[in-house]
Amino acid sequence: MISKLLLSVGTEDDPHVKLMMEGSTLRKVKSRFWKKQRHFRLLEDGLTIWYKSGWAGKVSVSDLEAVREGHQSEVLLSIAEEFPAELCFTLVFHGRQGNLDLVAETPDEAQAWIQGVRKLIHKAQNMDEWVRDWFLKADKNKDGKMNFKEVKKLLKMMNVDMNEDHALCLFTMADKSETGYLEIEQFVHFYKILTQRDEVWKVFQDYSGDGEILTLEELECFLRVEQQEGQHSSHRAEELIQRYEPLESAVNQSAMTMDGFQAYLCSLDGSIFKPELLELHQDMTQPLSHYFISSSHNTYLLENQLTGLSSLEGYIQALKRGCRCVEVDSWDGDDGEPVVYHGHTLTKKILFKDVILTLRDYAFKVRKLTGSCFCFPLNRTAQWSFDYRVSEFPVIVSLENHCCLEQQTVMANHLRQILGDMLLTAPLDGQIPERLPSPQQLRGKILLKAKKSGGLETRLDETLAYEASDEEEVADGDPESPTLKDPQKSKLSRELSDLVVYCKNVRFQGFEQARSNATCYEISSFSESKAKRLSKEAGAEFVRYNSQQLSRTYPSGMRTDSSNYNPQDMWSTGCQIVALNFQTAGLEMDLNDGFFRQNGSCGLILKPDFMRDANSRFSPEKPEERPGYKPLRLSIQVISGQQLPKVNMKEGSIVDPLVRVEIFGVPIDQVKAETSHINNNGFNPVWNQTLNFIIHVPELALVRFVVEDFDMTTKNDFIGQFTLPFTCIQPGYRHIHLLSKDGTPIPPSSLFVNVNAA
């Protein structure tokens, strides 16, 4: 039986989907030595790929992010000689879940699965899949309908705790045929009744003269007073009616009904993030030192720093998240081929040349988190989703070189031959620069950050010497450095040194020395402890230094679990390359993702003007001393939540949600406040509580909304979060579409808030 889901999305006649439902024998590949045949089949629900693997394995289509064709994974590259590219494909999951590498028997079969899965992913992202998914989960006997007993179980699964008599009343209203069952479209109607939003209705009533519609003038008034749209309110009102009003007669009257109003508030236009700031909008023609740069530490690692897995996937995932500076730790390998791994540990080794091949293929592909308003049968909602687009701005390769002269030359040859014109090998205009070029000038280029003997103007000998510094030694006496090295002069090949142009590694010798002798293309690295100390002791000096020079900060060597430091501490002093362990989910990566979500997710953010001034008096420790200091008041009324996911899967468990708002910025701005918790209601909790903050440096502040499941006896469980820059907040009545711990969307979970900043 073809499921009603497949019928509803128009894939029931698709030949690729039909083949998937008939099933195929595919090889599941885990390594060069583990390649086992398994039977894969798309189940009738159109949402689940089942396979036999000793036990039954399942893959949910909603968990998939993309399908890669050919040898586009480290595992499939390792078997390239055995299986040609046209047989191979990779299922890529959201978040940090490992990929699934597969090999088909024929090219046609591979294409059927590749195209079929892509269609199902696209459909899942553009329909009310989650409602139908819940329906199919609750429909245990798969007859396409549910009785009231099944509906009650469904409500529990959806985290809804409601009066049984009320639920039965709604069920009866939706059961138009009076059969005692709901089919899928009747269930959608039931869901529509269930999700009526009283708090949205109240806002609508406050501005509607007759309680039925908002006239064009009434909608203008709402946009001007509540949403602070200002002089654009008139044009904006007409635009929103055309975009979101489902009733044609209302559109013809230039009016908006309650359904249209709710559709607008739940859309990207009604979200808390200003839509125009999601796009590339900043001036990209200033020197590279004037930008914050999304940066990864030990990019090759997927786990901890001692025994974790090294993989090319680390580079792919970091680059897709908008990372513009990746790290490569190179060591001598067997057969004359340099390898990449965390030296003197048990981490796995990968070939340097494979890393460079991966950079060639993925350096300028960025995954952007976007929002869309999807039309449901009876209502609309917004959902964050991932969109892939090209980012042409430069990528910096931070090379930690531990190789002998011969293998350094091999690395240089790989860089030149694999990257070709993408690799920057000389100053852009052939002149010694007085300031760094801009991201715009460096579009499409990969820059090598490494040791260089002499400057750009120096004629070099065949064999060069350089002094160890940064992470290659005791990091200026930093006790956190993971390894101790004798800071004696080491050998550097001319071929590798010549490839360093605008990012020459040098040892930091103080602000005074930098003012007197530093050139714009020199960059120093700072451990997290040293950067924090400099910020506290000489904050204004550090800001001025970073207006001219590039700085890189990195996690303490004691963080063997790949944990992270707070990047905001480094951004507050103007450090551009704040390297984080991208493989580790949590608060710090939430801040990084939230900060770099603006400006088209291109991985570069223009610093505030007071951090680009070489004579700046700004200090993060004393923000009130800078000219133009003007703190702002932020008021957030947390009104309600919608369909928060269960975190405790015990039978009958319902979440007790609370909302915490956290501010991150300069030290005085690091504050938080939270609502009370609501007992046993994750479906539509209502708080109506207001949290107030004073923001001293709004240009640097990030606002993080966190939802947790309250527990009186143990630590609260994380439910979802959303982080954004203060400067990107839309005032007024807004929805916040929550993300998981991995930073992936969890539709339709959201918060409804009213924001004011002045």
Side-chain angles (χ1 to χ4, degrees):
M1 180 185 73
I2 296 177
S3 77
K4 294 196 175 185
L5 174 63
L6 292 176
L7 288 169
S8 70
V9 300
T11 54
E12 74 280 3
D13 292 326
D14 185 274
H16 299 140
V17 173
K18 278 187 173 180
L19 184 144
M20 292 174 63
M21 295 185 73
E22 291 169 2
S24 301
T25 298
L26 306 173
R27 279 185 175 84
K28 181 181 177 184
V29 185
K30 290 186 177 180
S31 71
R32 191 169 51 187
F33 309 105
W34 198 103
K35 308 179 286 285
K36 302 207 174 171
Q37 290 188 324
R38 299 287 186 254
H39 186 71
F40 284 76
R41 179 168 63 87
L42 177 67
L43 298 185
E44 287 76 10
D45 62 9
L47 296 166
T48 309
I49 298 171
W50 174 93
Y51 63 93
K52 187 69 173 175
S53 179
W55 61 89
K58 290 183 179 180
V59 174
S60 174
V61 172
S62 60
D63 290 336
L64 294 177
E65 180 182 306
V67 186
R68 297 186 199 144
E69 292 187 56
H71 300 139
Q72 292 199 58
S73 77
E74 184 180 358
V75 170
L76 292 179
L77 274 172
S78 71
I79 61 168
E81 294 183 2
E82 185 177 358
F83 298 104
E86 58 265 27
L87 300 181
C88 301
F89 61 98
T90 301
L91 301 184
V92 182
F93 291 84
H94 289 298
R96 292 169 171 82
Q97 182 176 343
N99 297 337
L100 180 58
D101 292 303
L102 299 169
V103 179
E105 295 291 325
T106 68
D108 288 345
E109 189 174 50
Q111 277 301 309
W113 278 87
I114 291 166
Q115 300 305 326
V117 172
R118 283 176 176 167
K119 288 169 188 172
L120 292 174
I121 291 173
H122 177 74
K123 294 297 183 182
Q125 291 175 341
N126 290 275
M127 64 176 182
D128 51 334
E129 176 269 335
W130 56 272
V131 177
R132 299 177 185 276
D133 191 12
W134 283 119
F135 180 94
L136 293 164
K137 286 179 182 178
D139 181 21
K140 296 300 183 184
N141 57 7
K142 304 301 178 186
D143 61 356
K145 57 187 180 182
M146 289 194 307
N147 59 32
F148 183 62
K149 184 177 180 181
E150 289 176 306
V151 166
K152 285 196 300 180
K153 289 183 178 179
L154 171 58
L155 296 180
K156 284 286 186 183
M157 292 166 65
M158 295 177 74
N159 211 11
V160 182
D161 185 29
M162 65 188 310
N163 180 276
E164 186 170 324
D165 292 337
H166 181 53
L168 180 58
C169 178
L170 298 182
F171 182 93
T172 304
M173 291 171 60
D175 181 17
K176 301 294 186 182
S177 57
E178 299 182 355
T179 61
Y181 290 90
L182 297 182
E183 294 188 354
I184 195 161
E185 297 307 325
Q186 292 173 319
F187 175 72
V188 173
H189 180 60
F190 168 81
Y191 184 80
K192 164 74 173 179
I193 304 170
L194 188 69
T195 55
Q196 285 181 343
R197 300 277 302 278
D198 290 342
E199 71 277 23
V200 175
W201 175 253
K202 182 180 182 303
V203 177
F204 182 83
Q205 291 292 303
D206 286 344
Y207 283 85
S208 172
D210 63 3
E212 298 295 328
I213 63 167
L214 289 173
T215 65
L216 184 62
E217 293 74 19
E218 289 167 344
L219 181 56
E220 283 180 33
C221 182
F222 170 77
L223 294 175
R224 185 175 62 256
V225 175
E226 300 292 352
Q227 310 297 75
Q228 300 179 34
E229 295 276 359
Q231 61 182 355
H232 304 293
S233 298
S234 178
H235 172 73
R236 186 72 167 147
E238 293 177 355
E239 183 181 74
L240 295 177
I241 289 171
Q242 292 292 328
R243 188 175 298 170
Y244 298 112
E245 176 51 51
L247 197 61
E248 188 175 346
S249 59
V251 174
N252 293 336
Q253 298 175 48
S254 294
M256 181 175 275
T257 63
M258 173 61 187
D259 279 348
F261 186 67
Q262 183 164 319
Y264 153 60
L265 286 179
C266 291
S267 73
L268 182 62
D269 287 310
S271 80
I272 195 168
F273 205 117
K274 293 178 181 176
E276 64 272 20
L277 299 189
L278 287 169
E279 302 302 322
L280 185 67
H281 65 278
Q282 293 182 344
D283 176 8
M284 305 304 287
T285 64
Q286 301 202 27
L288 193 60
S289 58
H290 288 184
Y291 297 84
F292 297 113
I293 303 171
S294 180
S295 307
S296 165
H297 174 65
N298 288 354
T299 314
Y300 48 87
L301 286 178
L302 297 183
E303 299 168 3
N304 67 66
Q305 309 280 312
L306 299 179
T307 61
L309 178 67
S310 301
S311 173
L312 300 176
E313 195 64 33
Y315 291 94
I316 295 173
Q317 294 299 328
L319 290 166
K320 286 199 310 186
R321 291 178 87 124
C323 179
R324 298 287 89 188
C325 179
V326 297
E327 185 174 19
V328 179
D329 285 355
S330 62
W331 299 79
D332 290 336
D334 298 332
D335 303 321
E337 280 292 344
V339 294
V340 174
Y341 82 113
H342 201 208
H344 308 301
T345 68
L346 300 177
T347 57
K348 179 186 170 186
K349 299 174 183 178
I350 55 180
L351 290 177
F352 176 84
K353 67 178 179 182
D354 286 343
V355 172
I356 304 308
L357 283 165
T358 301
L359 293 178
R360 179 197 67 187
D361 293 341
Y362 289 92
F364 303 107
K365 294 178 182 177
V366 174
R367 179 183 68 177
K368 179 186 175 187
L369 187 64
T370 61
S372 302
C373 180
F374 299 131
C375 184
F376 290 73
L378 290 168
N379 67 338
R380 299 185 185 188
T381 190
Q383 174 181 321
W384 289 105
S385 59
F386 288 120
D387 174 32
Y388 289 88
R389 57 181 62 186
V390 173
S391 172
E392 297 183 337
F393 294 114
V395 170
I396 298 171
V397 177
S398 181
L399 178 65
E400 290 298 327
N401 173 18
H402 305 277
C403 292
C404 66
L405 275 175
E406 292 76 11
Q407 294 205 18
Q408 288 180 41
T409 301
V410 172
M411 286 196 295
N413 290 336
H414 285 325
L415 286 163
R416 282 187 179 274
Q417 292 169 10
I418 293 172
L419 297 179
D421 291 341
M422 296 168 66
L423 181 67
L424 188 76
T425 58
L428 292 179
D429 55 4
Q431 302 296 316
I432 306 303
E434 294 184 3
R435 68 176 199 170
L436 288 170
S438 70
Q440 184 72 16
Q441 292 172 303
L442 294 168
R443 287 166 58 188
K445 294 297 183 182
I446 294 177
L447 283 63
L448 184 63
K449 170 190 169 294
K451 292 295 176 185
K452 184 179 184 70
S453 186
L456 291 177
E457 58 283 299
T458 305
R459 182 173 179 83
L460 305 178
D461 297 323
E462 287 295 330
T463 299
L464 310 168
Y466 72 91
E467 290 188 5
S469 66
D470 307 329
E471 293 151 280
E472 296 183 335
E473 57 161 299
V474 194
D476 298 337
D478 178 13
E480 293 185 351
S481 186
T483 58
L484 302 181
K485 285 196 170 188
D486 181 7
Q488 61 183 349
K489 296 217 171 193
S490 303
K491 296 294 180 65
L492 178 64
S493 78
R494 173 175 182 173
E495 291 85 353
L496 192 60
S497 178
D498 282 351
L499 300 182
V500 179
V501 182
Y502 293 124
C503 297
K504 174 189 174 181
N505 283 355
V506 298
R507 181 177 179 177
F508 178 72
Q509 297 181 343
F511 295 121
E512 187 173 342
Q513 191 276 342
R515 278 195 302 273
S516 304
N517 302 309
T519 57
C520 68
Y521 54 82
E522 293 177 339
I523 175 173
S524 296
S525 292
F526 303 85
S527 70
E528 61 174 282
S529 62
K530 182 168 185 177
K532 287 179 181 177
R533 176 168 56 81
L534 289 173
S535 175
K536 194 170 185 65
E537 296 175 358
E541 284 248 59
F542 209 0
V543 170
R544 288 192 288 272
Y545 171 85
N546 285 323
S547 70
Q548 307 297 308
Q549 308 294 138
L550 286 174
S551 291
R552 178 179 182 270
T553 66
Y554 58 91
S556 161
M558 305 302 289
R559 295 184 182 273
T560 56
D561 59 351
S562 294
S563 59
N564 281 309
Y565 54 89
N566 182 349
Q568 188 70 59
D569 295 336
M570 314 305 173
W571 293 328
S572 292
T573 57
C575 294
Q576 301 89 348
I577 302 177
V578 179
L580 297 178
N581 289 303
F582 270 47
Q583 72 270 34
T584 305
L587 163 66
E588 296 81 11
M589 279 306 300
D590 291 344
L591 298 179
N592 195 78
D593 289 345
F595 184 47
F596 286 102
R597 186 165 293 127
Q598 59 183 312
N599 203 34
S601 297
C602 72
L604 293 104
I605 305 297
L606 184 65
K607 295 183 190 178
D609 56 1
F610 56 83
M611 304 189 89
R612 309 194 303 262
D613 181 359
N615 299 311
S616 175
R617 290 162 48 193
F618 171 74
S619 168
E621 295 292 327
K622 300 175 181 178
E624 68 280 359
E625 293 183 1
R626 78 174 171 99
Y629 167 70
K630 184 182 179 182
L632 296 178
R633 184 181 299 276
L634 174 65
S635 175
I636 299 172
Q637 181 190 12
V638 181
I639 300 171
S640 62
Q642 293 76 47
Q643 298 167 82
L644 306 176
K646 290 179 67 170
V647 290
N648 186 338
M649 304 313 290
K650 291 181 180 177
E651 184 71 26
S653 173
I654 302 290
V655 300
D656 303 326
L658 63 81
V659 178
R660 184 169 60 254
V661 178
E662 303 170 340
I663 311 297
F664 293 89
V666 297
I668 196 173
D669 280 340
Q670 309 239 8
V671 294
K672 62 183 71 173
E674 65 184 38
T675 68
S676 59
H677 69 276
I678 303 294
N679 287 323
N680 295 327
N681 188 351
F683 190 71
N684 56 357
V686 175
W687 290 278
N688 275 325
Q689 296 180 24
T690 300
L691 309 176
N692 294 302
F693 306 91
I694 300 294
I695 311 294
H696 296 268
V697 187
E699 298 91 338
L700 291 176
L702 294 173
V703 183
R704 183 173 185 250
F705 295 84
V706 189
V707 185
E708 292 182 343
D709 182 10
F710 174 77
D711 194 309
M712 188 176 295
T713 58
T714 62
K715 183 180 178 181
N716 294 347
D717 288 321
F718 174 90
I719 293 176
Q721 67 85 30
F722 190 79
T723 305
L724 76 165
F726 174 86
T727 53
C728 294
I729 289 178
Q730 289 202 99
Y733 287 97
R734 303 294 173 185
H735 278 88
I736 300 167
H737 303 285
L738 297 174
L739 304 176
S740 71
K741 187 173 289 186
D742 273 330
T744 56
I746 45 175
S749 300
S750 64
L751 297 175
F752 185 44
V753 298
N754 187 10
V755 181
N756 280 287

